[in-house]
């Protein structure tokens, strides 16, 4: 068979046709997700214990964002509706949108960095480190009702997350270059160690209110959303998103393996460390604000990858948008499923994500990294 015939056969292969199809639908997917996220913001602020008409919600948001006066806001909307939407629900929806984007982004980056389809933002022991910091803060009096108040919990959780990530990177660097296997093993060790210390503190503290607070925090919640918490978390996630949107070539090379990277002249160890540090900072900020929200960073990249393929030029932006959409509606479900109550969002993400992930595991047409 000649070279031309081989090229023609390759171009006509089903795999090539699938790639061309995924490339052609990418703009439509991005546009659809942008519209869906925008509509979801308006609809989600209308849903809750106090039901607000969608039209009223839309014009309240228009009025508050642009300052345009309109006579379409009538009745209770000028008072109670305005406060409910602008002071409570809208910051919470924005936090859900940013948190979903950040978790999905970090999950995508982690899966490429360690070349493991089971990787998520918490693979470096970040969740257990943050949990240890929050447990220390709450149970020993440095958090709720303590010296530093509510800020203490977030601060200690962030420090714990960064300390855990630093320990993992340090352990993985001992004895030579940092490999994906060493990162996973180091993350497992630190995760177990931090979990043991957290349980040790809880066992000897004997504080029932503190235990309840720790349990609720580790299940994840967006109840702390407010206009004062949004600027920092939004700036961190946006900066990381802009950076990783430009790194698609390196992440594609990571999926090809070390040998291919050496052939292309790319030093993967250096990139991997930078990616880990940035992802750790983003995840630490998210965890310190929202608690531990599992499964989003694991399931969203896989769902998106099955539609647009493994090319990170398409995968990263679609994962960011779909992560935002997924978290918005997960939060709506979490705060409305129980009358006059709220279900921890981490429970909801696991309940929704686990069946989808099981379906994708048994789906024979799906593979990680194009394999």
């Amino acid at each position: 068979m000649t070279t031309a015939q081989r090229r023609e056969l390759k171009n006509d292969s089903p795999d090539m046709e699938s790639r061309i199809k995924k490339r052609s639908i990418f703009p439509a997917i991005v546009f659809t997700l942008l519209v869906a996220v925008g509509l979801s913001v308006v609809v989600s602020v209308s849903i809750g214990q106090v039901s607000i008409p969608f039209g009223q919600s839309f014009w309240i948001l228009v009025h508050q964002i642009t300052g345009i006066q309109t006579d379409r806001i009538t009745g209770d909307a000028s008072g109670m509706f305005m406060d409910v939407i602008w002071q409570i629900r809208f910051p919470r929806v924005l936090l859900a949108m940013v948190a979903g984007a950040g978790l999905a982004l970090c999950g995508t980056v982690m899966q490429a960095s360690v070349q493991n389809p089971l990787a998520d933002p918490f693979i470096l022991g970040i969740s257990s480190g943050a949990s240890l910091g929050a447990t220390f803060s709450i149970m020993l009096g440095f958090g709720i009702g303590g010296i530093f108040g509510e800020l203490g919990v977030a601060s200690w959780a962030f420090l714990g997350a960064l300390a855990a990530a630093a320990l993992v990177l340090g352990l993985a660097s001992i004895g030579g270059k940092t490999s994906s296997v060493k990162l996973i093993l180091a993350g497992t060790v630190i995760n177990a160690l931090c979990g043991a210390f957290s349980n040790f503190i809880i066992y000897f503290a004997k504080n029932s209110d503190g235990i309840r607070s720790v349990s609720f925090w580790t299940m994840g919640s967006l109840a702390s959303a407010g206009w004062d918490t949004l600027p920092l978390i939004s700036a961190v996630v946006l900066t990381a998103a802009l950076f990783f949107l430009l790194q698609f070539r390196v992440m594609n090379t990571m999926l090809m393996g070390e040998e291919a990277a050496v052939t292309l002249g790319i030093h993967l160890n250096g990139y991997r460390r930078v990616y880990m540090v940035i992802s750790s900072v983003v995840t630490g900020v998210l965890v310190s604000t929202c608690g531990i929200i599992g499964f989003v960073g694991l399931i969203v990249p896989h769902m998106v990858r099955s539609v647009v393929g493994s090319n990170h030029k398409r995968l990263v932006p679609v994962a960011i948008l779909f992560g935002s959409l997924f978290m918005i509606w997960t939060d709506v479900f979490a705060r409305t499923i129980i009358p006059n109550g709220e279900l921890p969002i981490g429970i909801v993400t696991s309940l929704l994500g686990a069946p989808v992930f099981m379906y994708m595991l048994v789906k024979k047409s799906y593979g990680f990294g194009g394999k």
Side-chain angles (χ1 to χ4, degrees):
M1 183 181 293
T2 64
T3 303
Q5 288 175 327
R6 291 195 187 95
R7 188 181 298 115
E8 182 179 356
L9 180 60
K10 182 179 179 180
N11 290 340
D12 290 339
S13 65
D15 185 58
M16 190 65 182
E17 291 178 1
S18 176
R19 293 178 183 177
I20 294 174
K21 181 180 179 180
K22 290 176 179 178
R23 191 183 304 119
S24 63
I25 64 174
F26 171 68
I29 292 175
V30 172
F31 177 77
T32 302
L33 286 174
L34 285 171
V35 174
V37 170
L39 291 176
S40 297
V41 170
V42 178
V43 174
S44 60
V45 298
S46 303
I47 302 174
Q49 303 300 330
V50 177
S51 182
I52 302 175
F54 297 151
Q56 292 288 304
S57 300
F58 173 76
W59 288 112
I60 287 174
L61 292 178
V62 170
H63 168 69
Q64 292 286 8
I65 295 173
T66 65
I68 297 176
Q69 298 292 335
T70 175
D71 56 0
R72 296 177 182 268
I73 304 176
T74 58
D76 292 335
S78 60
M80 182 183 69
F81 285 179
M82 189 85 72
D83 293 337
V84 168
I85 288 179
W86 190 252
Q87 299 298 332
I88 301 175
R89 291 185 185 172
F90 192 50
R92 180 166 179 149
V93 171
L94 291 180
L95 180 60
M97 184 173 67
V98 174
L103 290 173
L105 173 66
C106 291
T108 303
V109 174
M110 289 293 185
Q111 289 173 9
S113 298
V114 302
Q115 301 168 8
N116 192 320
L118 295 179
D120 68 356
F122 307 131
I123 196 173
L124 297 185
I126 295 174
S127 60
S128 58
S131 179
L132 176 59
T135 301
F136 179 82
S137 173
I138 294 172
M139 302 301 291
L140 300 184
F142 291 96
I144 299 174
I147 299 175
F148 300 106
E150 199 64 52
L151 180 62
V153 180
S155 301
W156 280 104
F158 180 71
L159 291 175
L162 289 188
L167 284 174
V168 170
L169 291 174
L171 282 176
S173 304
I174 295 176
K177 66 178 183 179
T178 304
S179 65
S180 58
V181 175
K182 291 172 68 176
L183 282 169
I184 295 174
L185 293 176
T188 303
V189 171
I190 297 303
N191 183 58
L193 189 63
C194 291
F197 276 114
S198 297
N199 292 331
F200 180 84
I201 294 174
I202 292 173
Y203 181 80
F204 283 100
K206 300 185 183 301
N207 182 347
S208 58
D209 292 335
I211 293 174
R212 192 178 300 109
S213 299
V214 170
S215 299
F216 189 81
W217 187 89
T218 55
M219 294 177 188
S221 174
L222 300 178
S224 63
W227 291 114
D228 56 333
T229 62
L230 281 172
L232 174 62
I233 189 172
S234 300
V236 171
V237 173
L238 180 60
T239 303
L242 293 176
F243 173 77
F244 285 118
L245 283 171
L246 302 176
Q247 296 294 309
F248 62 91
R249 291 187 179 89
V250 177
M251 286 190 282
N252 287 342
T253 306
M254 285 179 171
L255 293 182
M256 297 169 62
E258 298 286 345
E259 294 181 359
V262 172
T263 303
L264 296 173
I266 297 177
H267 183 59
L268 285 189
N269 286 331
Y271 282 105
R272 186 178 285 117
R273 291 189 182 188
V274 172
Y275 291 178
M276 292 296 181
V277 170
I278 296 176
S279 298
S280 299
V281 172
V282 174
T283 306
V285 171
L286 292 174
V287 170
S288 65
T289 306
C290 310
I292 301 173
I293 304 176
F295 248 96
V296 178
L298 174 63
I299 190 64
V300 169
H302 285 295
M303 295 174 67
V304 173
R305 192 179 286 111
S306 65
V307 177
V308 302
S310 299
N311 188 342
H312 287 83
K313 185 176 183 179
R314 300 187 297 270
L315 178 60
V316 172
V318 176
I320 290 173
L321 292 174
F322 188 75
S324 296
L325 186 65
F326 180 80
M327 276 291 289
I328 288 174
W329 286 106
T330 301
D331 179 56
V332 170
F333 187 82
R335 56 186 167 88
T336 57
I337 190 65
I338 301 178
N340 301 319
E342 177 182 336
L343 190 67
I345 194 170
I347 296 177
V348 181
T349 55
S350 298
L351 289 175
L352 295 178
V356 175
F357 196 57
M358 287 188 289
Y359 168 75
M360 296 182 67
L361 285 176
V362 300
K363 185 180 178 183
K364 295 182 179 180
S365 60
Y366 172 72
F368 176 71
K371 299 177 182 178

